[in-house]
Amino acid sequence: MHRIHVKMSLALVAAALLAAPARPLAAQVNTRLASPGFNLFSVSQDVEIGKSSAAEAEKQLKLANDPAANRYLTAVMQRLAAVAPGAKYPYTIKLVVSPEINAFSLPGGPMYVNTGLLAAARNESELAGVLAHEMAHVALRHGTNQASTAYLAKGGLSILGGLLGQGSGSTASIVNAIGGIGLNTAFLSFSRSAESQADATGADIMARAGYNPVAMADFFDVLRAEQGRDPSKLEQFFSDHPGAAERSATIRALAKGATVRNVSDVGGFASIRSRVSQGITTSTASAIPGRLTPPAIQPGTTNGAVTISIAAPSARAVRYRQPSGFLQVNMPSNWQVAQSNSTAIVAAPAGGIVVTNDGVQHIIYGVILNHYTPFASYDNAVASRYAPFEGTSSAGRSLADATNDLVNTIIRSNPYLHAEPNSARQETISGAAGYSVMLTGISPITGQLEQAMLFTRGLADGHVVYGLSIVPASRATEMDPAMVKVMRSLVVSDAAGHRAEAAQN
């Protein structure tokens, strides 16, 4: 396989760039929050999706007509929201009539708690632990992260460059493609890693709000006992959440390093709980009577065979500077910039981007430059699920780990690709340490062997700027020198990139 070479770096990745030392609970949580994962949506779109989903969900839920209970829940929620990290979402909370012990949240802030859970909690702190956990899912944007991941297969490599946002990637079209709004599995059922993040972030929220995080662990112990007595009450909870025993132990360990703010309870829990236990839970309706399962999304196909008729890259280069100032780069003069926003550039020659019959644009010959937030599902273990970094032996958020995370994201969205063994190389890109990795596979669009060459460079905030060239392998000998020139010409403004990322959110 033809290799691309950029000036080799003699130094290993600087530990200070991405590795994080041990920190107290709050710092650990904030570190996780900085990397909530791949997301096609903005914070404002989270709110939009949440409002629409809540309106649809409430057509199925039986809401409790108990103003006092809802006022009490709102007061506890507001105390937690005042110290929650991330965007200042318009959090709301409503009581649902159901004997099941469960609670859930939707993107952008809507939260729901079942009467069965309120009756099972023994004190305000245990209730606050559940609410803080659900609030953490919102703050960490887990719902729209999962929706974005579910949609990756539809746009493939084009998503990485932002092409999907041109006409076909509106909020509605993306959400509809994965099952629509309402009680969508993508918004409600999270990975083990996401649940662990929500536990840790929720524990931090509790401590800042004046609740001892140990109460969250105590409630998990209550759930374990209740599961033995009446499994039906917890069927929904344990279908959505990982096992309680392990989580209880982890939260207790986290709580040891927490400083709990000294604040009195909102008050009134006992009377609200008593009334709920006596009268509100008469309904046997499930809190979530039906959920939509996101359909399998297949990559689009063209209306006919793709004919690759593309001119070779011109030897003459043209300088391109993003309006945000994040990236400056030389491109072959016969290439056009097909997409440019605050962080991404997609450039290709005529014929390098094709449109499939579902309206999605696919890059078959071109280059993507973009920003990436790594560690969407980082669990403090070295990710070594593909060949180039299988020899990695030390855990930590290094640039190698970040590159590995990005490669896994690419492979998840483009399962026809695989990383070539022994293809990972250290590079120097725009004056900083970097990596390159080669991926290959039979393109479902062209039916030909495709080569995707990835370059990564670390940023000061622990994020990554990357370059990705996509080309039929038969044309790699002409693309490789062009990509070398592109990457050698790249100038990155770390400060501008950070501002651009913040503006997108």
Side-chain angles (χ1 to χ4, degrees):
M1 185 66 65
H2 190 78
R3 278 281 300 133
I4 297 178
H5 293 281
V6 177
K7 181 181 177 182
M8 296 295 290
S9 170
L10 296 178
L12 295 175
V13 180
L17 182 65
L18 289 173
R23 299 178 181 179
L25 175 63
Q28 289 177 352
V29 170
N30 288 337
T31 297
R32 289 192 180 103
L33 184 67
S35 303
F38 173 77
N39 210 307
L40 291 171
F41 304 95
S42 66
V43 166
S44 61
Q45 285 174 309
D46 278 20
V47 175
E48 175 192 348
I49 291 168
K51 287 181 178 178
S52 299
S53 293
E56 192 66 28
E58 289 174 18
K59 295 177 182 178
Q60 304 177 55
L61 302 173
K62 183 177 180 180
L63 299 180
N65 184 20
D66 190 315
N70 281 307
R71 282 196 301 270
Y72 171 74
L73 290 171
T74 298
V76 176
M77 179 208 69
Q78 287 176 340
R79 175 182 287 190
L80 298 169
V83 296
K88 294 303 178 183
Y89 289 106
Y91 291 100
T92 60
I93 190 165
K94 293 182 180 180
L95 185 61
V96 176
V97 179
S98 172
E100 288 187 345
I101 300 174
N102 202 18
F104 66 95
S105 57
L106 293 168
M111 298 169 60
Y112 298 88
V113 59
N114 286 4
T115 52
L117 187 144
L118 189 54
R122 298 173 298 183
N123 52 56
E124 183 173 305
S125 293
E126 289 185 353
L127 171 65
V130 176
L131 301 187
H133 173 92
E134 295 302 330
M135 187 173 288
H137 281 309
V138 176
L140 292 164
R141 308 188 65 207
H142 284 153
T144 48
N145 164 248
Q146 290 206 156
S148 299
T149 301
Y151 195 60
L152 272 174
K154 188 172 180 64
L157 292 171
S158 300
I159 281 183
L160 296 175
L163 283 177
L164 206 62
Q166 296 188 352
S168 63
S170 67
T171 302
S173 65
I174 295 173
V175 172
N176 287 339
I178 62 162
I181 57 175
L183 299 172
N184 190 326
T185 301
F187 301 147
L188 297 172
S189 183
F190 302 112
S191 68
R192 185 183 185 88
S193 176
E195 292 291 355
S196 296
Q197 285 186 333
D199 283 346
T201 303
D204 182 64
I205 292 172
M206 290 182 72
R208 294 176 187 274
Y211 298 106
N212 193 327
V214 171
M216 184 190 291
D218 288 343
F219 190 63
F220 284 133
D221 293 339
V222 169
L223 297 183
R224 291 173 61 199
E226 185 64 28
Q227 187 182 28
R229 289 190 294 268
D230 189 354
S232 64
K233 284 188 176 182
L234 284 152
E235 181 179 356
Q236 192 68 64
F237 183 90
F238 284 113
S239 70
D240 295 344
H241 301 77
E246 180 182 344
R247 296 172 71 191
S248 175
T250 301
I251 293 165
R252 290 184 193 282
L254 286 171
K256 290 180 180 178
T259 301
V260 181
R261 184 180 168 209
N262 187 16
V263 182
S264 300
D265 283 356
V266 168
F269 172 83
S271 62
I272 295 295
R273 179 182 183 272
S274 176
R275 188 167 66 257
V276 165
S277 299
Q278 291 173 13
I280 300 179
T281 58
T282 56
S283 171
T284 59
S286 169
I288 304 179
R291 289 192 176 179
L292 300 174
T293 301
I297 302 172
Q298 302 300 325
T301 57
T302 55
N303 292 317
V306 173
T307 301
I308 302 175
S309 178
I310 300 169
S314 170
R316 188 170 69 87
V318 175
R319 191 72 174 166
Y320 180 79
R321 180 185 184 277
Q322 274 184 316
S324 67
F326 177 40
L327 302 177
Q328 296 185 52
V329 68
N330 290 342
M331 294 288 185
S333 61
N334 63 336
W335 287 13
Q336 296 181 338
V337 174
Q339 164 76 348
S340 178
N341 55 33
S342 57
T343 62
I345 298 173
V346 178
I353 297 174
V354 299
V355 181
T356 50
N357 56 14
D358 56 0
V360 175
Q361 299 180 78
H362 293 265
I363 304 167
I364 61 172
Y365 190 122
V367 172
I368 298 171
L369 298 167
N370 205 351
H371 172 280
Y372 181 73
T373 303
F375 311 120
S377 58
Y378 191 73
D379 60 1
N380 292 322
V382 174
S384 56
R385 298 178 183 174
Y386 70 98
F389 291 116
E390 284 179 353
T392 304
S393 59
S394 61
R397 294 192 176 203
S398 67
L399 184 56
D401 293 321
T403 302
N404 184 87
D405 185 77
L406 175 54
V407 171
N408 281 326
T409 295
I410 293 171
I411 292 173
R412 280 197 303 270
S413 64
N414 303 271
Y416 68 93
L417 289 174
H418 69 274
E420 289 290 329
N422 303 313
S423 70
R425 299 288 186 272
Q426 295 178 55
E427 312 283 3
T428 297
I429 300 172
S430 187
Y435 277 99
S436 64
V437 178
M438 181 183 291
L439 299 95
T440 61
I442 302 300
S443 167
I445 305 302
T446 65
Q448 298 185 21
L449 181 65
E450 182 174 86
Q451 173 183 300
M453 193 69 190
L454 174 70
F455 290 85
T456 61
R457 172 201 185 272
L459 298 175
D461 59 2
H463 297 176
V464 171
V465 61
Y466 67 88
L468 183 70
S469 66
I470 302 105
V471 65
S474 61
R475 304 284 297 271
T477 54
E478 65 188 39
M479 169 66 90
D480 286 358
M483 189 62 178
V484 167
K485 292 179 181 178
V486 168
M487 297 309 298
R488 283 178 175 169
S489 72
L490 180 66
V491 174
V492 180
S493 169
D494 295 82
H498 190 75
R499 289 194 302 271
E501 182 202 6
Q504 280 189 321
N505 292 335

